[in-house]
Amino acid sequence: MLPIRDFGLLQPQLDRPAAQFEPYPTIMVLSTDGDTRRHWVNAGQALQRVLLTATWLNLATTPISQPVEVPGIRRLLSDGGAGKWAQIVLRVGYGRPATGTPRRPLAEVLVPDGSEQP
């Protein structure tokens, strides 16, 4: 299991109950064949496809960038000899369904054609 902390922002009590995580999450490391700006852009495009595909398959994802921000940990996740550089870590699994967030009425958000603005 890979617990994720919320640092007490959601429930700032010391006696918080433990939360159950999915029993078998998958931890993935997205890597590239190099570590240049072009590779970073390619990693972002690949991440976009992974996240969209996971959403399509009803999977929950959590990008975990902290490991690749620490040089020593990033070296452990990378294989420089093989030219593989870790760019981001992803946790993928089946999460609990979340409720929808409240939305404002469409009429409050859109302006008809702009001619009525001051």
Side-chain angles (χ1 to χ4, degrees):
M1 285 191 211
L2 181 69
I4 304 296
R5 293 186 55 184
D6 67 4
F7 300 102
L9 297 175
L10 299 177
Q11 294 178 321
Q13 298 103 348
L14 296 176
D15 59 345
R16 294 179 4 179
Q20 291 291 329
F21 292 96
E22 69 271 13
Y24 304 104
T26 299
I27 305 299
M28 303 175 3
V29 178
L30 190 144
S31 63
T32 56
D33 291 333
D35 199 30
T36 65
R37 289 181 180 171
R38 181 164 182 84
H39 292 105
W40 301 341
V41 170
N42 291 342
Q45 291 171 333
L47 178 61
Q48 172 191 9
R49 290 177 181 250
V50 169
L51 295 176
L52 288 171
T53 301
T55 300
W56 179 259
L57 297 172
N58 293 316
L59 291 166
T61 57
T62 304
I64 307 170
S65 63
Q66 295 91 336
V68 297
E69 293 171 6
V70 177
I73 298 173
R74 186 171 187 228
R75 279 191 295 275
L76 292 173
L77 296 170
S78 300
D79 185 357
K84 300 292 182 190
W85 297 93
Q87 300 298 340
I88 194 157
V89 178
L90 284 170
R91 179 175 186 241
V92 181
Y94 293 96
R96 289 182 294 248
T99 59
T101 57
R103 301 286 186 228
R104 292 172 51 189
L106 192 57
E108 288 183 21
V109 180
L110 295 180
V111 176
D113 65 3
S115 61
E116 299 173 25
Q117 291 187 9

